[in-house]
Amino acid sequence: MRTISVFTLLLLWLPIFAQGNTSAKTVTNGEVWLDTSGNPINAHGGGILYHDGKYYWYGEYKKGKTILPEWATWECYRTDVTGVGCYSSPDMVNWTFEGIVLPAVKDNPSHDLHPSKVLERPKVVYNAKTGKFVMWAHVESADYSKAAAGVAVSDSPTGPFEYLGSFRPNDAMSRDQTVFVDDDGKAYQFASSENNQTLYINELTDDYLRPTGRFTRNFIGMSREAPAVFKKDGKYYMISSGCTGWDPNNAELAMADSIMGPWKLVGDPCTGKDADKTFYAQSTYVQPVYGKKDLFIAMFDRWNKTDLENSRYVWLPISFKDGKITIPWRETWSIDEISGQN
Ligand code: DGJ
């Protein structure tokens, strides 16, 4: 009798333990996502690095009150700059907080990383030649006129990152941005430029720290933002948003045979509920899941413009079914049960 009751008790506890450890495999879009310590994941406008069998998610660590500056003539809501946060995961679902890997610089009001400035869309890539982890981010002056890229380096994916400074790549404005490393090890920065009207692709030097001077202007006058780039079967793809501040609009997919272009917009890949508003979210990155055939996760931010810290995430598998590229809405999905052919 005693033995049976202990066994029953153990059975009752089993699902609770299962939720508490790293066994969760389900993505629920738009909910608060918790890290392995039970705190909300704070990594907005982010990107992923896959290195030595682990995923690292870097993003804007938005903490505290959202404000609209007194001078604002548009909805430039922001929080004080806190820094770039990093989370690690073995499986793209269970995330452990690794800390603020590039912190704000509180004691120097003229520094790019002072809390009064703006720091957005950090992306980290690994340079196999130098052995360095290189971060690119959009840095802004408090009045949003700087439109520059800030670069930082580290010897470890979990930092600390050393800030090297900022500049306008190829003397052009640089706002929403991402960095993409091609199979041959060459890296490129994609950035909304010319007052967000034209998207620049800037080839980077071998150490990934500066532009080489070679660049192309894409989607001229078309106001594409939030570029998220991936490569599949030798072709290049880019998801981007329109330009409506923090408010959602419809996404576009673009394709190219060569990374520097020409790029061709081929239509909105989103399907299902609220597809015309990108599921009330905005693209930030696309990450392949290693060991899973054709599984590419499109990452979006569901901004809460008046409470930015409380913005949420929408992650969706890209579908390559029957040769057609779509991003169907799914409220929940399991990483174990899905592939790009779903
Ligand atoms: C849209 C951009 O994609 C965001 O990263 C942010 O810069 C907002 N605009 C600010 O309004």
Side-chain angles (χ1 to χ4, degrees):
M1 181 66 189
R2 205 164 163 236
T3 323
I4 290 170
S5 63
V6 169
F7 181 66
T8 314
L9 260 176
L10 264 176
L11 273 183
L12 282 172
W13 274 96
L14 210 57
I16 297 170
F17 287 132
Q19 276 173 22
N21 69 23
T22 56
S23 62
K25 288 281 157 72
T26 303
V27 173
T28 305
N29 283 315
E31 297 284 296
V32 174
W33 292 2
L34 301 180
D35 66 15
T36 50
S37 301
N39 298 312
I41 295 179
N42 195 334
H44 310 280
I48 304 246
L49 165 74
Y50 181 73
H51 186 73
D52 276 353
K54 247 188 177 180
Y55 299 90
Y56 297 89
W57 177 6
Y58 304 88
E60 302 156 25
Y61 196 84
K62 290 194 176 297
K63 205 72 196 150
K65 205 168 157 17
T66 297
I67 57 138
L68 187 62
E70 266 169 33
W71 52 264
T73 49
W74 60 289
E75 291 193 321
C76 53
Y77 288 104
R78 83 264 314 257
T79 58
D80 277 1
V81 171
T82 310
V84 175
C86 173
Y87 294 80
S88 68
S89 171
D91 55 14
M92 283 285 285
V93 184
N94 297 281
W95 294 97
T96 299
F97 186 48
E98 299 285 356
I100 308 282
V101 294
L102 180 72
V105 176
K106 293 189 179 151
D107 55 2
N108 179 359
S110 62
H111 198 283
D112 284 346
L113 303 179
H114 188 261
S116 61
K117 308 290 175 67
V118 176
L119 173 62
E120 292 183 337
R121 298 190 177 268
K123 306 288 178 304
V124 174
V125 288
Y126 175 65
N127 188 309
K129 274 193 192 143
T130 61
K132 300 272 186 200
F133 297 85
V134 182
M135 181 189 295
W136 282 65
H138 168 202
V139 296
E140 274 299 343
S141 43
D143 67 1
Y144 224 80
S145 65
K146 189 173 178 103
V151 178
V153 284
S154 174
D155 292 325
S156 149
T158 52
F161 279 79
E162 180 197 352
Y163 190 65
L164 302 180
S166 65
F167 50 86
R168 285 185 169 181
N170 295 309
D171 290 328
M173 293 170 119
S174 177
R175 288 207 170 103
D176 279 15
Q177 65 104 50
T178 193
V179 179
F180 178 80
V181 179
D182 208 345
D183 300 333
D184 60 3
K186 274 214 139 312
Y188 303 82
Q189 188 227 15
F190 291 64
S192 296
S193 189
E194 300 178 8
N195 269 323
N196 299 339
Q197 294 201 12
T198 297
L199 194 111
Y200 275 45
I201 302 176
N202 298 307
E203 185 189 67
L204 303 186
T205 49
D206 284 353
D207 57 12
Y208 301 172
L209 301 181
R210 307 286 303 188
T212 59
R214 195 173 157 244
F215 67 97
T216 54
R217 294 169 70 237
N218 304 270
F219 315 133
I220 295 168
M222 291 171 141
S223 301
R224 303 309 303 168
E225 283 195 323
V229 180
F230 63 103
K231 186 179 187 181
K232 184 174 182 293
D233 302 331
K235 286 211 182 304
Y236 300 90
Y237 299 91
M238 187 194 320
I239 302 167
S240 64
S241 75
C243 187
T244 52
W246 297 109
D247 296 335
N249 50 55
N250 72 302
E252 287 280 349
L253 180 71
M255 283 173 69
D257 291 324
S258 156
I259 185 130
M260 299 289 273
W263 284 85
K264 194 172 169 243
L265 291 169
V266 293
D268 187 345
C270 302
T271 62
K273 188 169 162 257
D274 302 321
D276 60 338
K277 290 273 185 274
T278 317
F279 320 115
Y280 287 93
Q282 186 184 29
S283 45
T284 186
Y285 205 76
V286 172
Q287 177 61 40
V289 179
Y290 293 95
K292 295 279 286 179
K293 188 167 156 38
D294 294 339
L295 182 52
F296 287 70
I297 299 180
M299 298 163 53
F300 303 87
D301 294 286
R302 186 175 281 173
W303 299 114
N304 181 338
K305 66 182 175 190
T306 54
D307 182 8
L308 284 165
E309 181 182 342
N310 198 19
S311 298
R312 306 281 169 84
Y313 314 100
V314 170
W315 285 14
L316 291 164
I318 299 178
S319 168
F320 299 96
K321 207 172 168 189
D322 304 326
K324 203 169 175 283
I325 299 181
T326 57
I327 307 177
W329 170 247
R330 289 183 164 90
E331 204 159 300
T332 45
W333 54 279
S334 158
I335 205 139
D336 283 339
E337 288 161 18
I338 204 124
S339 79
Q341 297 308 317
N342 286 98

